[in-house]
Amino acid sequence: MENNPSPTFPLFPSLGLILFLLGSLVCQAQARAFFVFGDSLVDNGNNNYLLTTARADNYPYGIDYPTRRATGRFSNGLNIPDLISEAIGSPSTLPYLSPELRGENLLVGANFASAGIGILNDTGIQFLNIIRIRQQLEYFRQYQARVSALIGEEETVRLVNEALVLITLGGNDFVNNYYLVPVSARSRQFALPDYVVYIISEYRKILASLYEFGARRVLVTGTGPIGCVPAELAMRGRNGECSVELQRAAAQFNPQLVQIINSLNQEIGANVFIAVNTQMMHMDFVTNPQAYGFITSKVACCGQGPFNGIGLCTPASNLCPNRDVYAFWDPFHPSERANRLIVQQILTGTQEYMHPMNLSTILAMDSRT
């Protein structure tokens, strides 16, 4: 009987495997990536990796998150980026500073947001080490170089061009800058209307940079009702009424943000930037909480002092038993259920809420191209 020769293997068995893996990476890149920039409303945990007081890494943060653990999200559970990822059929974006953000995970996108930051570099200085917006953009540039090494430059450009982008800035430029102390440096420098014009002009430069870096579908949120959050009711409001000053600031900021979005889109000749009217989205349930299934929009679920609005949410704070019936989770941030209402409007809201179109329209349009 003839001996079977020993099987021989090619000298480079990994070449086919490399091509196969590269092909699967490119296929994955064809799913829509998602990039997030901004502050604590959208931070998925970058600040956990930084020496800063602006962190949400302890109980009871994350009490309703799938793992029941604090993740760095300023929420009892999922935040707005998580719920947008859910809507587009993607896993949640990882924080850019996470060691898990490598290999195939990069193709899902990345979250560059950092609690405490604003449009201006001097916003949030009390939080020490946070990722200011220009640094977030620099990380976006670094991200693209890392992905190019993985799938090539051409595919990376396509991935970024076809990605969805969310940017949330502005609230901290009032709460943690202009109105941080009774007579702040910025309030001495600018009357409120002039300050708003200044930060809007700076925001325009940031949005233009995002476009230069390849972003082509950008959801830009205005500020929410910053004068109506439990922290401001406790510190500035009278008899549980929203702070007039902070509401005036939001009322000046938001329409001017829509104006620069319209002007940028006109210059570009396409609807790259989408204005998200988070002020109106919040005010729906702030003014009529019961209509949305909340028992209160004044008292935070987690906190202490009047309206549970003083200080931070900590293990020693008051904690409500049912987060779903509170519009605000902590003194500044909406509960997961409130976030779900906001994302529902992002997806299907009318032009009052989403200008010039909602996210469902964008997804339908882009699926046809």
Side-chain angles (χ1 to χ4, degrees):
M1 187 177 166
E2 199 176 310
N3 283 339
N4 283 332
S6 300
T8 56
F9 295 99
L11 193 57
F12 299 107
S14 57
L15 184 61
L17 185 62
I18 288 166
L19 290 172
F20 170 76
L21 288 174
L22 192 59
S24 74
L25 283 174
V26 169
C27 281
Q28 249 194 289
Q30 282 161 3
R32 187 162 213 155
F34 182 34
F35 301 108
V36 181
F37 301 86
D39 57 28
S40 60
L41 289 164
V42 293
D43 183 352
N44 272 14
N46 278 309
N47 282 20
N48 284 3
Y49 301 94
L50 302 171
L51 196 62
T52 177
T53 53
R55 292 167 77 131
D57 57 348
N58 274 314
Y59 176 86
Y61 284 99
I63 190 170
D64 300 308
Y65 191 75
T67 60
R68 301 288 183 264
R69 298 179 65 175
T71 60
R73 291 163 172 80
F74 286 75
S75 173
N76 58 301
L78 302 177
N79 63 10
I80 288 169
D82 292 322
L83 298 167
I84 291 175
S85 291
E86 203 176 83
I88 63 174
S90 293
S92 288
T93 51
L94 287 166
Y96 186 69
L97 299 183
S98 166
E100 291 173 45
L101 189 71
R102 60 182 191 273
E104 291 190 9
N105 284 343
L106 284 163
L107 305 181
V108 172
N111 186 311
F112 303 93
S114 177
I117 71 127
I119 295 162
L120 303 182
N121 268 342
D122 54 297
T123 291
I125 48 170
Q126 72 273 29
F127 300 126
L128 303 174
N129 189 16
I130 49 181
I131 313 167
R132 306 194 185 282
I133 190 60
R134 287 290 169 189
Q135 184 60 46
Q136 291 184 28
L137 291 171
E138 170 56 23
Y139 282 153
F140 188 35
R141 190 190 63 74
Q142 289 177 21
Y143 164 90
Q144 293 187 40
R146 290 171 67 190
V147 174
S148 286
L150 201 63
I151 60 172
E153 196 173 332
E154 197 178 320
E155 279 298 316
T156 301
V157 168
R158 192 188 59 71
L159 179 140
V160 171
N161 285 171
E162 293 179 3
L164 184 66
V165 178
L166 172 68
I167 184 165
T168 294
L169 289 174
N172 283 327
D173 294 286
F174 299 107
V175 171
N176 283 307
N177 192 330
Y178 195 85
Y179 291 108
L180 179 63
V181 289
V183 187
S184 66
R186 288 296 191 186
S187 69
R188 285 198 305 272
Q189 183 186 6
F190 292 107
L192 178 64
D194 300 326
Y195 181 67
V196 171
V197 168
Y198 173 57
I199 61 175
I200 285 288
S201 69
E202 291 300 303
Y203 203 171
R204 195 183 198 281
K205 295 173 195 170
I206 292 160
L207 295 177
S209 295
L210 264 181
Y211 181 76
E212 282 163 28
F213 280 126
R216 295 296 179 266
R217 285 292 190 206
V218 187
L219 304 175
V220 185
T221 70
T223 70
I226 48 179
C228 302
V229 299
E232 299 305 336
L233 297 184
M235 290 188 287
R236 297 173 203 277
R238 293 187 180 176
N239 306 320
E241 295 303 309
C242 301
S243 158
V244 173
E245 269 296 285
L246 279 162
Q247 286 300 90
R248 186 182 299 139
Q252 291 184 31
F253 177 87
N254 289 322
Q256 290 184 46
L257 180 60
V258 175
Q259 284 170 13
I260 63 159
I261 285 170
N262 288 339
S263 123
L264 280 164
N265 286 342
Q266 224 166 358
E267 275 177 31
I268 294 161
N271 290 321
V272 169
F273 299 101
I274 309 295
V276 180
N277 191 340
T278 37
Q279 169 84 359
M280 190 182 282
M281 293 174 187
H282 280 84
M283 284 311 284
D284 285 347
F285 57 76
V286 164
T287 52
N288 191 359
Q290 283 75 22
Y292 294 86
F294 297 118
I295 57 169
T296 179
S297 60
K298 294 182 185 294
V299 181
C301 168
C302 181
Q304 46 279 312
F307 307 102
N308 279 344
I310 302 294
L312 302 169
C313 169
T314 71
S317 297
N318 301 321
L319 179 66
C320 68
N322 181 1
R323 274 70 64 184
D324 282 350
V325 295
Y326 282 72
F328 285 95
W329 154 245
D330 71 7
F332 285 103
H333 303 96
S335 62
E336 178 184 318
R337 188 155 165 277
N339 283 333
R340 285 190 180 277
L341 292 171
I342 291 163
V343 171
Q344 193 51 54
Q345 290 287 18
I346 289 173
L347 278 163
T348 61
T350 61
Q351 282 217 342
E352 281 182 301
Y353 295 93
M354 296 291 295
H355 174 77
M357 68 188 101
N358 61 36
L359 182 52
S360 295
T361 304
I362 292 168
L363 297 175
M365 280 170 52
D366 292 353
S367 71
R368 291 196 293 268
T369 55

